[in-house]
Amino acid sequence: MNAAAKENKLKGYIAGIVAAVAYGTNPLGALFLYDEGLSPASVIFYRFALAVAILFVILKIQRVPLKLDKRELKLLVSLGFIFAVSALTLYSSFRHIDSGIASTILFVYPVMVAVIMAVFFKEKATFSTIFSIVLSLAGIVLLYQGDGGGRLSVPGVILVLVSALTYAIYIVIVNQSGISLPPFKMTFYIMLFATIVTVLFSFVSPENHLMALPTWRAAGWVLMLALVPTIVAMTCLNVGIAKAGSTPTAILGALEPATAVMISIAVFGCTFSLRLAAGIALILSSVLIIVVMSRKN
């Protein structure tokens, strides 16, 4: 691998790390908005719609043309639909099971990515990849401190698994499509079509009808969700997949639940224990292994 390719891969790893950390803030905003009385579809609608508006302004300032060809349009419509399903099922799961449990279960998606790539695209599962997955999953188990207070329901588990599968499929499609669009433009259209899917979903799900924002505090949390786990996370995720590959980017997602734990400590006053330290250490080790070994390869 020449120097330019190595530098390109490194940029992909950095983008993947930023995406994972940003995406890990999802439960924080969602749970505060649920406290304000909003439904999952309402939270996602405002999150996506505001992100679309912000990205539109950015694209206009950068003078990026918004035109798409037929192939790009079909692909971005598909990605918008898949991402909307992933977000809706994840946010809905927070109503059934503890968000910590949901984040734990969600992290099966790197395994799903590796399996999909191996089965359908004949990507070789190296020892370092398998070892990294094992380490990260072990870290996730340690990060979740089950105290018996979490309500583990079958619908909640199914919702998270559907979210994980659709997120894995999203990553694989972006990786295999070969699409080449400016990152903000790609994220803009994916969020636009995801917003449309969310609105349509709200019409067929009575408990998920769209609701007005009740307070300025709620508007502030929507802005956070639009900027951090949407614009920043999605743009960096697409860059990471394109430059580093789908499997490494998925494994870097181990930083998502680690981020959630750090937020719990900083915002909600959770105790930082030896168990949490060990879990974070395992996750960081898995990230380090996949980055180092991928650069060598």
Side-chain angles (χ1 to χ4, degrees), residues 99-230:
S99 61
I101 300 176
S103 297
T104 302
I105 300 172
L106 181 68
F107 197 71
V108 300
Y109 79 82
V111 179
M112 294 178 175
V113 170
V115 171
I116 292 172
M117 292 301 295
V119 173
F120 294 100
F121 301 99
K122 309 304 179 185
E123 179 179 276
K124 184 179 179 181
T126 63
F127 174 78
S128 61
T129 297
I130 296 172
F131 186 56
S132 294
I133 291 173
V134 171
L135 278 182
S136 58
L137 289 176
I140 299 301
V141 171
L142 290 176
L143 286 185
Y144 173 66
Q145 288 183 300
D147 56 1
R151 183 165 59 90
L152 191 61
S153 70
V154 173
V157 172
I158 292 175
L159 285 168
V160 180
L161 289 176
V162 172
S163 179
L165 178 59
T166 48
Y167 193 51
I169 293 172
Y170 173 92
I171 291 174
V172 172
I173 290 177
V174 172
N175 176 254
Q176 294 297 312
S177 66
I179 189 171
S180 179
L181 288 175
F184 283 140
K185 181 178 178 179
M186 184 172 177
T187 305
F188 167 77
Y189 276 109
I190 292 172
M191 291 297 99
L192 175 62
F193 296 129
T195 303
I196 295 172
V197 172
T198 304
V199 172
L200 294 175
F201 174 74
S202 70
F203 287 126
V204 299
S205 178
E207 68 272 15
N208 275 289
H209 65 279
L210 299 184
M211 306 163 63
L213 291 176
T215 64
W216 284 106
R217 180 174 178 266
W221 283 113
V222 166
L223 179 61
M224 187 281 289
L225 286 175
L227 290 174
V228 183
T230 307

Side-chain angles (χ1 to χ4, degrees), residues 2 55 89 103 199 244 248 265 295:
N2 57 40
L55 286 167
T89 49
S103 297
V199 172
I265 294 170
R295 293 197 72 190

